[in-house]
Amino acid sequence: MIKKKVLTQEQIAEKLDYLRKQRDGLIVGDYRNYLYNLYMYLKERCSETEDGSCNPYPWQMLVALGRDDLHKSYLGYTYCDDLEALGYIKMQGYGKDKKIFIIKNIDF
């Protein structure tokens, strides 16, 4: 069984505050851009299916993020784990049976 990342409400608030500060240029870094761009990519992919889910390959997610380190394909799901812990997406299943659903619109 895979253990999902669980954050407290306080941790979620702190992380969202950090991401909003990155968006507003108060903190320098690419983390927010990676999460935002991945969310937008997943949202587009999910809108193309009847059940509103998608299951892109990890390397497809990295290409969508503009990353050239495709040997680090695990990063795609690491960012998905973060989006899920923050409540923006939901992942069900494992491997080729994994389904990703958009839960709410992004606000950071």
Side-chain angles (χ1 to χ4, degrees), residues 30-65:
D30 291 325
Y31 179 64
R32 183 258 175 201
N33 293 334
Y34 289 141
L35 290 184
Y36 179 83
N37 291 334
L38 177 60
Y39 174 88
M40 296 309 287
Y41 171 73
L42 294 173
K43 185 175 180 178
E44 181 179 332
R45 290 289 307 269
C46 288
S47 71
E48 297 169 351
T49 64
E50 288 183 24
D51 68 350
S53 71
C54 67
N55 185 11
Y57 293 109
W59 64 267
Q60 290 174 318
M61 290 186 265
L62 290 181
V63 168
L65 296 175

Side-chain angles (χ1 to χ4, degrees), residues 77-89:
Y77 283 120
T78 300
Y79 296 139
C80 282
D81 289 341
D82 292 343
L83 285 171
E84 183 175 38
L86 292 171
Y88 292 98
I89 67 171

Side-chain angles (χ1 to χ4, degrees), residues 85-96:
L86 292 171
Y88 292 98
I89 67 171
K90 180 175 175 123
M91 294 189 290
Q92 293 178 338
Y94 183 76
K96 67 178 185 168

